[in-house]
Amino acid sequence: GEMQPGITLRDLVHAIPYQAIQDGYLTVEKKGKKNIFSGRILEIEGLNSLKCEQAFELSDASAERSAAGCTIKLDKDPIIEYLKSNIVMLKWMIAEGYGDVRTMERRINKMEEWISNPVLMEADPNAEYAATIEIDLNKLTEPVLCAPNDPDDARLLSEVAGEKIDEVFIGSCMTNIGHFRAAGKLLDQQAGELPTRLWIAPPTKMDEAQLIAEGYYSIFGKAGARTEMPGCSLCMGNQARVKDNVTVVSTSTRNFPNRLGTGANVYLASAELAAISAIMGRLPTKEEYAETMKTVDATAADTYRYLNFNEIDSYTDIADKVNVAKQ
């Protein structure tokens, strides 16, 4: 099927356990728990045109399924695009004094070698699987969250709408620069003080610098958000913490008890739903969500641009001066 308006990749991440529950492959109850994913490899197909940054969002979450790993079948073009960007980034890192130079040169050589003859791994046509879970994107018409405090407890927004939200965290390796642009565009419409405490932590310093250059940090500041050092932040559970016994919407990878804060009840959701919840002070209805998301959908091409370092002069100007030794 096709992704429906307002539906995000994070919703697809959560649609996997949601569908597994419907199919009888996964249970939330710990006693006698069933988990078809445990110790197995997830092979995801049907999303061939995803950018690599988008694919990472799905593969990252395989850890929360207790899976041993994850593969996603992509077309060659997004992989080549990603590797070309990485080659420039690695050359820039060499020029800036990062180490180990030989390791980075080996990676550059291997990337260039693959780009010259791109061959992708394919599943065997007669492969046998422990289970096949099919998700019809045409029928996924509302966000999917994971309820407190279990990343397996996937629920539709309509099942939890109206829950009061105290704090919101937008960050972790499950986010990319597009998520922060989307949140910024939603927050830019907010007049007055937010009814929630909002935390913002881009995953990398490069994302932070670009968001500052594009004016999004000004929007975050105006909204009263607390901007954290790029990296894991609240997701680690041993850095910043939310207040005790609050209800939170988080884009982090997992919502185990007491991880984000003592006694906190944490919903896992997309950055877009998190931003809307920060503005409303509660989980919206699916109708409110759909209406608000029209703002993001209208400018999706601009919002969900990724950092291709081979297209950024400040990186290419330095990378072009680096000569990589052939190994």
Side-chain angles (χ1 to χ4, degrees):
E2 299 291 333
M3 285 184 67
Q4 300 302 296
I7 299 303
T8 69
L9 279 172
R10 187 62 186 257
D11 298 317
L12 299 193
V13 167
H14 296 162
I16 294 173
Y18 180 81
Q19 189 63 49
I21 291 170
Q22 311 310 307
D23 293 349
Y25 291 127
L26 177 68
T27 57
V28 178
E29 177 64 38
K30 297 295 186 272
K31 186 177 181 180
K33 185 175 179 66
K34 294 171 63 177
N35 183 357
I36 194 67
F37 307 111
S38 182
R40 295 191 167 101
I41 306 296
L42 277 61
E43 295 186 13
I44 299 176
E45 298 185 359
L47 298 167
N48 294 34
S49 61
L50 289 183
K51 301 290 188 182
C52 286
E53 290 90 346
Q54 296 173 313
F56 289 149
E57 192 172 346
L58 286 161
S59 62
D60 274 357
S62 62
E64 277 56 65
R65 306 283 74 78
S66 299
C70 178
T71 68
I72 301 177
K73 186 176 181 180
L74 298 180
D75 293 333
K76 294 176 182 177
D77 287 345
I79 299 172
I80 292 171
E81 176 185 341
Y82 186 75
L83 292 182
K84 285 181 176 179
S85 174
N86 268 260
I87 288 169
V88 169
M89 167 53 68
L90 288 173
K91 288 182 177 180
W92 178 89
M93 290 174 69
I94 291 172
E96 293 294 302
Y98 287 81
D100 174 79
V101 172
R102 289 177 300 174
T103 299
M104 290 189 281
E105 287 181 335
R106 281 197 297 269
R107 290 180 180 176
I108 291 169
N109 288 327
K110 287 294 185 182
M111 290 180 190
E112 290 177 336
E113 180 183 335
W114 188 86
I115 290 172
S116 68
N117 181 31
V119 177
L120 296 174
M121 290 189 295
E122 299 274 352
D124 295 334
N126 59 345
E128 296 182 1
Y129 297 95
T132 300
I133 298 171
E134 296 188 1
I135 298 170
D136 188 345
L137 299 182
N138 293 328
K139 295 181 179 178
L140 185 60
T141 57
E142 61 177 294
V144 187
L145 305 82
C146 292
N149 279 315
D150 190 335
D152 284 343
D153 192 2
R155 304 186 192 183
L156 299 176
L157 176 59
S158 55
E159 299 179 73
V160 294
E163 178 86 15
K164 181 180 180 295
I165 300 301
D166 303 301
E167 301 196 33
V168 172
F169 171 57
I170 301 177
S172 88
C173 60
M174 290 290 284
T175 59
N176 58 59
I177 193 167
H179 296 129
F180 294 90
R181 291 196 189 102
K185 290 179 179 183
L186 291 165
L187 289 166
D188 201 27
Q189 303 175 64
Q190 165 70 7
E193 187 178 351
L194 290 175
T196 55
R197 188 186 193 193
L198 174 60
W199 304 72
I200 299 282
T204 72
K205 291 181 179 179
M206 290 83 83
D207 290 326
E208 178 190 51
Q210 188 65 25
L211 289 166
I212 290 172
E214 294 178 13
Y216 285 99
Y217 263 61
S218 175
I219 295 172
F220 300 150
K222 186 175 67 174
R226 173 172 170 171
T227 51
E228 290 282 293
M229 180 186 300
C232 297
S233 188
L234 270 72
C235 188
M236 277 291 287
N238 62 356
Q239 298 178 16
R241 307 272 287 172
V242 299
K243 293 180 180 179
D244 293 353
N245 304 312
V246 295
T247 301
V248 184
V249 175
S250 175
T251 63
S252 53
T253 54
R254 53 198 62 165
N255 59 346
F256 300 144
N258 303 314
R259 184 177 177 89
L260 263 67
T262 304
N265 287 317
V266 181
Y267 286 92
L268 300 180
S270 68
E272 294 83 353
L273 179 52
I276 294 170
S277 301
I279 292 167
M280 299 183 71
R282 58 178 172 82
L283 292 174
T285 64
K286 66 177 185 178
E287 292 80 14
E288 289 170 330
Y289 173 84
E291 183 62 30
T292 308
M293 278 295 290
K294 289 178 181 178
T295 301
V296 176
D297 289 340
T299 59
D302 171 68
T303 301
Y304 299 106
R305 289 176 289 112
Y306 300 101
L307 283 180
N308 283 347
F309 297 106
N310 56 318
E311 298 175 0
I312 302 174
D313 291 343
S314 59
Y315 289 92
T316 57
D317 289 347
I318 294 174
D320 288 344
K321 299 173 184 177
V322 174
N323 294 315
V324 176
K326 296 298 180 183
Q327 301 177 9

